[in-house]
Amino acid sequence: MLGSRLWPRVFCTAANARLARQFTTTRSIRTSGILTTLDIPTKAAPIITRRLSQADDHSVDHEADQQFSLNWRGATPQTVLIIKKANDTNVDSALARISQWLHTEYPQINIVLEPPVFDQFHSTLPFVHKIPNGMHTEYSRIIDFVVTLGGDGTFLHVSSLFEKQVPPIIPFSMGTLGFLLPFNVRDFQLQMRRVIEGSATLLPRMRLMYSRFKADGTLDKSGGVNVTNEACIHRGTYPHLTTISCFLNNHLLTTSVGDGIIVGTPTGSTAYSLSAGGPIVHPLVSSMIVSPVCPRSLSFRPLILPSSSVVKLQVHKKSRGRATAYMDGRDCGELLQGEYIEVRKSPYPLMCVNRSDLAAGWALDINQLLQFNRTFSYPHDTPFSDDDPNSREE
């Protein structure tokens, strides 16, 4: 199922080098040295407008009304960032092919790679640009849209590169699962043209803003960080269960003894929260999920809260063990007794290029990738095989 979505093994290193030399132009390459993003002008923000459905009945919300369209103000975008999965030869070949195609079809578009990836490809793709070391703000200053080649982890990595608003992302699935990635990399030319020409559909994926506080209520320096999947307090490597008090809009909801508590987004509902027994939430449902991790209780069930909620997770002062805060799986340091995190809806959603028919694509994904409602008695087919989709939408 997933193997058909991988890039064919037909682009060797020598071929990449020949193609790169063929497509090299004097406009984009200096005689010596390295192209950096310091030479690229500051971007002009695109116009992102809400799509309007063609439904006759506007008394109820239509799916199209919750998606958006992209407009480059009558021009083409000037800079694209390509993010790739590490240590994968298929992904490396795809990056080279896409970069060469972009350089040929749209020579006015600057191609930017992360520093480690730039070092890997500079000799065969000398027209690409590098973000100077230590100049993290360059991503927000110049990048018009982002291309990801990999899995869901590669997609999530993009969020960490931008402090606030993230440019539109076009994700191509070349990873292990790819539930968040709607496009096959074999169709990159069609999908890239739609983005560049401004005819793509954008799906806003809600993010959370995580803030960390000391026991006396002072904000920690690491506060105000945007996360895509979830924020979590977990006992980590400590042998004792941790005691966590969960507050909803400053009102005590419950105090849990267990491994931890997850606060997630609809996007994160198919990640760690799902493994902890949480619900699957459609990405257009603006909400927050609270899921316990192995609680010492049979009655602490997952909750779905309004997206306007503010959730506070505090390590109880009588907790036997300490806890660790995590954001999208990244260790964010230890929390002592009395310290806490606050999680609320971020004002900066991820704008993701998506299928125009979101409902059909989402139904295919949960059936084919997550094997939704597959029974033990039908290992290869659903009980109603006529309803079983045969392939994902290309």
Side-chain angles (χ1 to χ4, degrees):
M1 175 182 63
L2 295 177
S4 64
R5 303 167 64 208
L6 297 177
W7 189 260
R9 298 176 180 270
V10 296
F11 299 101
C12 64
T13 303
N16 289 340
R18 289 194 299 271
L19 287 170
R21 288 193 294 270
Q22 176 183 351
F23 294 138
T24 295
T25 66
T26 56
R27 180 201 67 79
S28 61
I29 300 179
R30 295 172 179 172
T31 304
S32 61
I34 293 174
L35 291 174
T36 70
T37 58
L38 298 178
D39 301 324
I40 300 176
T42 300
K43 67 180 181 182
I47 300 173
I48 297 177
T49 56
R50 186 181 295 273
R51 292 177 58 196
L52 296 177
S53 71
Q54 303 301 316
D56 295 332
D57 182 8
H58 290 280
S59 61
V60 295
D61 290 336
H62 192 273
E63 178 185 281
D65 295 333
Q66 301 179 63
Q67 300 185 72
F68 293 78
S69 297
L70 182 64
N71 187 315
W72 297 108
R73 300 177 184 269
T76 56
Q78 67 178 11
T79 306
V80 57
L81 171 66
I82 303 180
I83 303 294
K84 82 173 194 72
K85 177 183 177 181
N87 304 318
D88 190 304
T89 55
N90 280 335
V91 174
D92 292 348
S93 298
L95 185 145
R97 174 79 180 270
I98 291 173
S99 297
Q100 291 155 358
W101 177 83
L102 272 172
H103 188 60
T104 303
E105 296 293 322
Y106 301 96
Q108 74 277 18
I109 296 181
N110 302 294
I111 302 171
V112 176
L113 304 178
E114 292 183 282
V117 181
F118 177 90
D119 294 339
Q120 177 184 353
F121 284 91
H122 175 57
S123 59
T124 55
L125 302 173
F127 47 81
V128 298
H129 291 71
K130 178 181 181 180
I131 298 283
N133 293 329
M135 300 192 68
H136 201 79
T137 56
E138 282 291 279
Y139 289 107
S140 298
R141 185 183 72 84
I142 63 167
I143 302 301
D144 290 299
F145 70 100
V146 182
V147 174
T148 66
L149 304 171
D152 292 343
T154 307
F155 174 82
L156 293 177
H157 173 63
V158 176
S159 179
S160 66
L161 299 177
F162 298 85
E163 182 178 356
K164 294 181 179 179
Q165 187 65 57
V166 179
I169 304 171
I170 176 169
F172 293 105
S173 181
M174 299 191 71
T176 305
L177 183 61
F179 186 77
L180 305 180
L181 317 175
F183 299 121
N184 193 311
V185 72
R186 292 176 297 181
D187 302 324
F188 80 88
Q189 295 185 15
L190 172 63
Q191 303 303 335
M192 294 281 282
R193 288 189 191 277
R194 288 177 177 174
V195 173
I196 294 171
E197 295 170 5
S199 60
T201 298
L202 299 181
L203 168 68
R205 289 190 175 272
M206 172 185 160
R207 290 196 293 172
L208 301 175
M209 182 169 287
Y210 154 101
S211 299
R212 177 173 172 167
F213 294 84
K214 301 292 187 182
D216 61 3
T218 58
L219 180 65
D220 188 89
K221 62 181 180 180
S222 63
V225 179
N226 293 291
V227 295
T228 303
N229 272 352
E230 73 279 313
C232 173
I233 290 184
H234 195 277
R235 68 185 177 97
T237 60
Y238 291 101
H240 300 294
L241 299 179
T242 186
T243 304
I244 302 172
S245 295
C246 178
F247 296 82
L248 173 61
N249 298 335
N250 289 324
H251 299 284
L252 179 63
L253 182 62
T254 189
T255 297
S256 172
V257 178
D259 283 355
I261 297 179
I262 301 166
V263 182
T265 64
T267 296
S269 70
T270 53
Y272 187 20
S273 174
L274 183 62
S275 297
I280 298 176
V281 182
H282 193 281
L284 290 182
V285 179
S286 184
S287 58
M288 297 169 63
I289 305 165
V290 175
S291 299
V293 182
C294 299
R296 197 180 64 186
S297 169
L298 296 179
S299 59
F300 189 174
R301 311 311 303 162
L303 301 173
I304 298 179
L305 304 175
S307 60
S308 58
S309 303
V310 177
V311 178
K312 170 182 171 181
L313 301 180
Q314 183 174 35
V315 181
H316 197 275
K317 62 181 179 180
K318 294 184 178 180
S319 178
R320 293 183 62 192
R322 300 174 183 176
T324 302
Y326 295 90
M327 295 185 301
D328 285 345
R330 301 190 304 273
D331 187 334
C332 296
E334 184 180 82
L335 291 172
L336 303 178
Q337 285 82 353
E339 296 183 337
Y340 60 95
I341 66 172
E342 277 190 357
V343 183
R344 65 187 68 216
K345 180 180 179 180
S346 170
Y348 307 106
L350 287 182
M351 303 302 292
C352 305
V353 180
N354 204 72
R355 306 176 180 94
S356 56
D357 191 347
L358 175 62
W362 189 76
L364 284 173
D365 289 343
I366 66 170
N367 277 282
Q368 295 198 343
L369 296 181
L370 300 184
Q371 301 293 297
F372 181 67
N373 196 32
R374 292 298 175 98
T375 67
F376 293 110
S377 58
Y378 294 87
H380 304 295
D381 299 300
T382 63
F384 308 101
S385 58
D386 55 322
D387 293 332
D388 189 23
N390 292 320
S391 62
R392 299 187 74 195
E393 179 179 298
E394 298 294 336

